[in-house]
């Protein structure tokens, strides 16, 4: 992919609580920045405050700030101006948990990431979803379907990550995020959606 395509593109990256993917997300952010995107990180409240076996909350914040050159937005109040100020060209949710998927499908706005999405949508601009949830093919299948049929939502291609032991679990191919953003900025869903 021609890295100049992302040059100067203002990309919001909403990071939600699929904590096992956070180390992968750091390399995903590095690729976005390397390919020229101007990245605005946004943390859900759980991400900004929760230390897990995968990473300390302060460590994640420090690494994201170092990579992007910006402190993460961590409150609904901080996220609300994204739309009125037209801060972003594309908003992404990477990773997008089942909880966040369900709330997006029902237009619930109770976290900084959800507020960023709602605020961004007022400008009729794209939101890119990178699914990471154990219930994508069960309880959240209907929410994926609802968002696939909703204007301005685009999905990073995804696959079952462990069909034998976790048959309902799906994870986006984070290596395809940048290309999905390019397509979404043009109003096109990258195909195939399911790998």
């Amino acid at each position: 992919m021609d890295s100049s395509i992302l040059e100067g593109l203002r990309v919001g990256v909403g990071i939600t609580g699929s904590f096992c993917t956070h180390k992968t997300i750091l390399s995903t952010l590095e690729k976005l920045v390397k390919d020229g995107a101007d990245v605005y990180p946004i943390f859900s409240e759980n991400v900004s405050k929760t230390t897990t076996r995968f990473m300390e909350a302060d460590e994640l914040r420090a690494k994201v700030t170092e990579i992007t050159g910006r402190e993460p937005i961590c409150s609904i109040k901080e996220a609300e101006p994204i739309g009125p100020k037209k801060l972003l060209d594309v908003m992404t949710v990477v990773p997008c948990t089942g909880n966040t998927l369900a709330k997006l499908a029902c237009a619930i706005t109770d976290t900084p990431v959800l507020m960023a999405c709602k605020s961004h949508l007022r400008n009729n601009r794209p939101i890119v979803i990178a699914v990471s949830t154990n219930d994508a093919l069960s309880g959240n299948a209907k929410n994926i379907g609802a968002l696939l049929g909703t204007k301005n939502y685009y999905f990073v291609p995804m696959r079952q990550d462990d069909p034998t032991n976790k048959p309902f679990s799906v994870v986006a191919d984070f290596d395809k995020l940048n290309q999905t953003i390019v397509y979404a900025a043009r109003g096109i869903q990258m195909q195939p959606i399911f790998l």
Side-chain angles (χ1 to χ4, degrees):
M1 178 173 54
D2 180 2
S3 63
S4 65
I5 294 173
L6 292 179
E7 194 66 44
L9 197 67
R10 298 167 303 161
V11 179
V13 179
I15 301 173
T16 67
S18 178
F19 297 101
C20 62
T21 63
H22 286 176
K23 286 187 180 175
T24 302
I25 299 312
L26 293 175
S27 62
T28 301
L29 288 172
E30 288 172 345
K31 289 175 189 171
L32 274 171
V33 171
K34 180 182 176 190
D35 285 350
D38 188 9
V39 177
Y40 291 74
I42 303 137
F43 283 5
S44 72
E45 287 156 347
N46 285 334
V47 168
S48 67
K49 297 175 183 173
T50 305
T51 289
T52 69
R53 63 190 170 100
F54 300 104
M55 192 176 299
E56 299 276 332
D58 290 342
E59 178 187 6
L60 179 64
R61 178 189 293 268
K63 287 184 176 181
V64 167
T65 301
E66 180 183 347
I67 292 166
T68 65
R70 285 194 173 85
E71 283 280 333
I73 292 170
C74 294
S75 73
I76 289 174
K77 181 179 178 182
E78 292 173 315
E80 188 277 330
I82 286 172
K85 292 184 177 180
K86 297 184 178 179
L87 290 180
L88 306 176
D89 299 305
V90 178
M91 175 68 196
T92 67
V93 184
V94 187
C96 186
T97 62
N99 187 50
T100 300
L101 267 173
K103 289 180 178 185
L104 285 169
C106 293
I108 295 171
T109 308
D110 63 355
T111 72
V113 172
L114 292 166
M115 175 54 81
C117 290
K118 176 184 177 178
S119 190
H120 177 71
L121 277 174
R122 71 183 272 167
N123 298 317
N124 204 28
R125 293 180 179 171
I127 295 180
V128 173
I129 305 295
V131 171
S132 180
T133 181
N134 289 324
D135 69 348
L137 300 180
S138 56
N140 258 301
K142 63 185 175 191
N143 297 317
I144 291 171
L147 292 175
L148 280 170
T150 302
K151 183 179 178 184
N152 293 319
Y153 281 94
Y154 302 88
F155 282 80
V156 177
M158 57 189 123
R159 65 173 49 91
Q160 289 176 277
D161 53 309
D162 187 355
T164 303
N165 297 310
K166 300 189 304 179
F168 308 115
S169 182
V170 168
V171 175
D173 183 342
F174 297 116
D175 288 336
K176 296 188 183 304
L177 175 65
N178 291 15
Q179 193 173 0
T180 305
I181 290 170
V182 170
Y183 276 90
R186 297 173 181 166
I188 301 167
Q189 170 63 58
M190 187 173 168
Q191 297 291 341
I193 298 171
F194 292 99
L195 302 171

